């Protein structure tokens, strides 16, 4: 079968490899689509990210069951499914509490194994998946559903964990309205009654953001903090979602959050958060404001995203590319040219 692999640090190739073998607890998925995430670019560009062997990329995957292991119950050939991003242990105290996105098995700073970022992922014709990491998507278009696995689920997790900050009438700022951000806008609209401000460097993305549910848009090229404060009577936003995570956006988040508000950081651009130990210093981190690093989502969050999609509240904007055109899709994403999410279709 054909697969898109990171063959050595910074080198990605379309290769021919055998169809994966499955064990008794696995299913073989015939891939319908695999989304292209900005994290794929981070991994590709990071020479320190050395895997023990070439890795098939792709951590946003849907498909149909092509074969089931001898011990698998509940799945049959032909079933349509999406793959959960967090291949967690299921036994540690976080997993048992339903927080399987922050499984403790790998240690304090690790994330649970993620397909495409360790185990082989879904930018291929077939993929091996342990059956317990599948969620059914019967009735949904599997191609446009692939980004529910990360772009939507990661946004949903951050929103679900913002609690009182998203009370009706409060303000939510979404920084970076690309793959994750355009899902966040729709999820905020569907699950809260907040006023939503979209922030991006790209005018086209901001124009689309209005269609995805943003009430206001702010160009990141302007004085973003002043604009946010202006729209919130000088108080700031009760929730700020940073889907970029560079120095500039984290500064905007810290200087634009309201007292008792929350900053949810999902973007992985490697920036630093400017927080001083007194609210009058630095950017002025206000009393009661908290910061949360948000990783992926739980299996329950994925089920919720599937439900939102099924009920028509969440529609991922997808640009389709053939698997063979993966490198073109990566370049387009890098250049900021993808609207919504790029998906590879084998
Ligand atoms: P994307 O490229 O689709 O979207 C990024 C958006 O940010 C684009 O619209 C871009 O124009 C905008 N942008 C870039 N620089 C900006 C700036 N300085 N100010 C405002 N907007 C800016 O990327 P994506 O796939 O949505 O991923 C977003 C980030 O989230 C990446 O860093 C990715 O690695 C990370 N990510 C994290 C998790 C997690 O679990 N924490 C999961 C998935 C992705
Ligand atoms: Zn991702
Ligand atoms: Zn665990």
């Amino acid at each position: 079968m054909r697969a898109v692999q990171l063959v050595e640090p910074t080198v990605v190739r379309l290769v021919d490899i055998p169809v994966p073998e499955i064990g008794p607890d696995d299913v073989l998925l015939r891939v319908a689509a695999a989304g292209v995430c900005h994290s794929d670019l981070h991994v590709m560009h990071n020479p320190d990210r050395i895997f023990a062997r070439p890795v098939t990329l792709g951590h946003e995957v849907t498909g149909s069951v092509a074969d089931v292991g001898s011990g698998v119950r509940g799945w049959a050939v032909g079933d349509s499914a999406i793959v959960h991003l967090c291949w967690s242990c299921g036994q540690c105290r976080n997993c048992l509490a339903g927080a399987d996105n922050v499984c403790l098995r790998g240690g304090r700073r690790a994330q649970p194994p993620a397909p495409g970022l360790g185990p082989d992922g879904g930018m291929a014709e077939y993929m091996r998946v342990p059956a317990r990491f599948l969620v059914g998507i019967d009735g949904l278009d599997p191609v446009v559903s692939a980004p529910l696995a990360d772009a939507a689920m990661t946004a949903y997790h951050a929103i679900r964990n913002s609690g009182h900050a998203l009370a009706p009438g409060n303000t939510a700022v979404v920084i970076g309205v690309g793959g994750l951000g355009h899902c966040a806008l729709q999820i905020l609209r569907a699950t809260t009654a907040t006023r939503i401000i979209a922030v991006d460097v790209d005018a086209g993305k901001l124009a689309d953001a209005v269609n995805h549910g943003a009430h206001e848009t702010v160009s990141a090229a302007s004085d973003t903090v002043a604009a946010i404060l202006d729209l919130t009577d000088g108080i700031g936003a009760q929730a700020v979602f940073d889907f970029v995570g560079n120095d500039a956006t984290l500064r905007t988040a810290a200087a634009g959050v309201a007292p008792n508000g929350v900053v949810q950081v999902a973007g992985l651009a490697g920036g630093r958060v400017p927080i001083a130990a007194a609210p009058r210093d630095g950017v002025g981190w206000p009393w009661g404001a908290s910061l949360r690093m948000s990783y992926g989502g739980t299996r329950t969050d994925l089920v919720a995203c599937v439900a939102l999609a099924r009920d028509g509240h969440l529609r991922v904007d997808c640009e389709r590319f053939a698997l063979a055109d993966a490198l073109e899709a990566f370049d387009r994403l890098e250049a900021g040219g993808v609207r919504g999410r790029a998906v590879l279709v084998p």
Side-chain angles (χ1 to χ4, degrees):
M1 66 170 191
R2 285 183 311 172
V4 177
Q5 289 200 326
L6 185 64
V7 290
E8 55 184 274
T10 76
V11 180
V12 173
R13 283 206 194 103
L14 187 69
V15 296
D16 277 304
I17 54 169
V19 171
E21 289 175 10
I22 60 167
D25 298 327
D26 300 331
V27 306
L28 183 68
L29 204 63
R30 185 187 167 82
V31 174
V36 182
C37 178
H38 211 107
S39 298
D40 294 317
L41 300 180
H42 292 323
V43 170
M44 243 176 253
H45 294 326
N46 184 355
D48 297 335
R49 191 70 195 237
I50 299 171
F51 299 108
R53 56 182 170 75
V55 167
T56 301
L57 294 170
H59 56 269
E60 274 185 352
V61 191
T62 51
S64 60
V65 174
D67 195 7
V68 292
S70 56
V72 172
R73 298 289 172 269
W75 292 100
V77 171
D79 287 348
S80 191
I82 188 165
V83 181
H84 186 216
L85 171 72
C86 304
W87 288 12
S88 38
C89 78
Q91 290 165 351
C92 71
R93 51 192 289 150
N94 280 6
C95 280
L96 290 175
D100 44 307
N101 65 312
V102 282
C103 173
L104 302 171
R105 178 65 61 90
R108 180 171 166 266
R109 282 155 48 113
Q111 62 207 41
L117 301 164
D120 283 329
M123 291 184 184
E125 291 172 72
Y126 291 91
M127 177 182 175
R128 177 193 76 87
V129 186
R132 69 190 180 94
F133 301 124
L134 286 179
V135 169
I137 55 163
D138 276 340
L140 284 177
D141 175 343
V143 173
V144 297
S145 299
L148 296 176
D150 179 16
M153 182 187 71
T154 298
Y156 183 89
H157 182 79
I159 290 166
R160 177 173 71 80
N161 283 282
S162 297
H164 190 68
L166 295 175
N170 283 356
T171 299
V173 170
V174 178
I175 305 174
V177 286
L180 273 64
H182 95 290
C183 292
L185 297 173
Q186 297 177 62
I187 295 165
L188 281 166
R189 208 47 195 260
T191 63
T192 77
T194 50
R195 188 173 52 145
I196 306 164
I197 304 173
V199 177
D200 205 291
V201 284
D202 184 301
K205 299 270 173 62
L206 288 176
D208 287 343
V210 174
N211 298 326
H212 294 130
H215 298 94
E216 314 276 352
T217 61
V218 171
S219 165
S222 65
D223 185 341
T224 320
V225 173
I228 292 170
L229 294 179
D230 206 43
L231 288 165
T232 54
D233 297 327
I235 296 301
Q238 283 77 20
V240 182
F241 300 92
D242 187 348
F243 295 115
V244 179
N246 66 23
D247 284 339
T249 59
L250 289 168
R251 184 185 179 284
T252 296
V257 67
N260 268 8
V262 61
V263 172
Q264 297 271 0
V265 181
L268 300 171
R272 285 175 188 268
V273 188
I275 299 180
R280 285 191 185 78
D281 296 339
V283 299
W285 186 260
W287 294 116
S290 56
L291 175 78
R292 187 168 176 278
M293 297 293 301
S294 196
Y295 177 70
T298 66
R299 192 182 154 99
T300 312
D301 292 326
L302 178 58
V303 170
C305 289
V306 170
L308 285 171
R310 210 168 246 144
D311 282 355
H313 294 296
L314 177 53
R315 238 196 50 237
V316 182
D317 259 357
C318 284
E319 277 194 48
R320 298 169 194 226
F321 291 81
L323 187 66
D325 297 331
L327 295 181
E328 188 193 327
F330 294 150
D331 288 347
R332 278 278 290 287
L333 181 62
E334 183 99 74
V338 172
R339 285 181 78 167
R341 199 61 145 181
V343 293
L344 304 181
V345 180

